[in-house]
Amino acid sequence: MTDLWVSVAVLGAAVLLSEVIRRTAARLFPGACWVYLLEAASTFQLCACTHELKLLGETARLELPVSLTLTYSMTAIHVSTFRGAACNPSGALESVYRGTSTFKVALVLIACQFGAAVAARCFASSVWSLALSDVHLRHQRFGFRCFDPLGGTVLEAAAVELACAFTVQAAVLHIHKVDPSLRAHCIAALITALVYAGGGISGAVFNPVLAFSVQFPCSGHTYLEYCFVYWLGPILGVVSCILLFEKIIPFLCGKSTTGLDVPTVQKQKTQ
């Protein structure tokens, strides 16, 4: 139980640090710089918390209800504090597709996301090196190494990532129909269910930048195989979802797809 509370404290510290950065940036760097710093701080929060949750889940052998409660709670916190940050390259590219952003801005946002993902990896290693709990101490003895995250074949894992990304994208395309006070909880419940269903096969990450921080350092597969599973899979899931709901279904129903009033959607994966 001590290990659990130490990890909860680490999660709280990561969220608090990110929130301080967001609020400070809002005051000192208004305008375009604020958008980039918001993206970096929120992505850092997502990746840092996922590092700790993954370690806790793999090492502490928590009971299933406790693991799912942590996943749900952290996802709800992420959705509530990100303030519109995508924390996902797919979200940045989607804004270009919808005409709400330029390709140059999207590239800078993606660079901020990957930079924050690397920073989160360093933050997690620094915290673990303090050996605040037995979980951290054991992980330190293994050199902070992680092992094969795939519980199935590469194709199976890619299919799971695609399906998860498709499901989340479909949900956020229609989340505007839900009462605003319930949206964060609906997304959190959905992501928790997806983690439960697909976590044993691919880890259910469905976010390229999060996978780069959490899964890519693990042994067991090549870099290209991880790219196939964690980059191509989610991107195809998002693209296929947009095509289905905004092009194929309206076409089959005889509706014009020109000028569809679809709210800008920003993906957020938290565990």
Side-chain angles (χ1 to χ4, degrees), residues 18 30 58 65 75 95 105 121 138 155 184 199-200 210 230 233 237 244-245:
S18 301
E58 292 177 347
T75 303
S95 66
V105 170
R121 192 187 301 170
R138 287 195 296 270
L155 284 177
L210 178 59
Y230 295 113
L244 177 64
F245 285 101

Side-chain angles (χ1 to χ4, degrees), residues 113-264:
Q113 291 169 1
F114 277 95
V118 174
R121 192 187 301 170
C122 296
F123 171 83
S125 297
S126 298
V127 171
W128 295 334
S129 66
L130 298 176
L132 298 174
S133 68
D134 290 339
V135 168
H136 293 173
L137 182 60
R138 287 195 296 270
H139 195 45
Q140 184 183 37
R141 289 172 180 170
F142 281 100
F144 305 129
R145 290 185 302 160
C146 60
F147 304 97
D148 191 353
L150 303 187
T153 66
V154 170
L155 284 177
E156 289 172 341
V160 167
E161 291 295 302
L162 187 154
C164 289
F166 181 97
T167 303
V168 172
Q169 177 69 17
V172 293
L173 279 175
H174 299 90
I175 197 66
H176 63 283
K177 301 175 183 177
V178 179
D179 185 274
S181 63
L182 299 176
R183 292 175 186 175
H185 298 287
C186 289
I187 294 297
L190 174 62
I191 289 177
T192 302
L194 292 175
V195 170
Y196 172 71
I201 299 176
S202 69
V205 180
F206 47 91
N207 182 330
V209 74
L210 178 59
F212 177 77
S213 182
V214 176
Q215 306 288 57
F216 276 51
C218 300
S219 59
H221 292 275
T222 66
Y223 190 88
L224 288 178
E225 287 175 327
Y226 284 140
C227 287
F228 178 79
V229 172
Y230 295 113
W231 287 4
L232 185 60
I235 290 174
L236 289 179
V238 170
V239 171
S240 60
C241 182
I242 292 175
L243 288 176
L244 177 64
F245 285 101
E246 298 183 17
K247 301 297 181 182
I248 297 176
I249 292 179
F251 174 78
L252 294 177
C253 295
K255 298 179 181 179
S256 172
T257 59
T258 303
L260 274 176
D261 184 19
V262 179
T264 301

Side-chain angles (χ1 to χ4, degrees), residues 37 46 181 270:
L37 290 172
L46 172 63
S181 63
T270 62

Side-chain angles (χ1 to χ4, degrees), residues 1 5 16 33 40 56 62 75 90 109 160 180 185 195 208-209 214 242:
M1 186 60 76
W5 289 115
L16 181 61
C33 289
L56 189 64
L62 298 176
T75 303
S90 298
L109 287 175
V160 167
H185 298 287
V195 170
V209 74
V214 176
I242 292 175

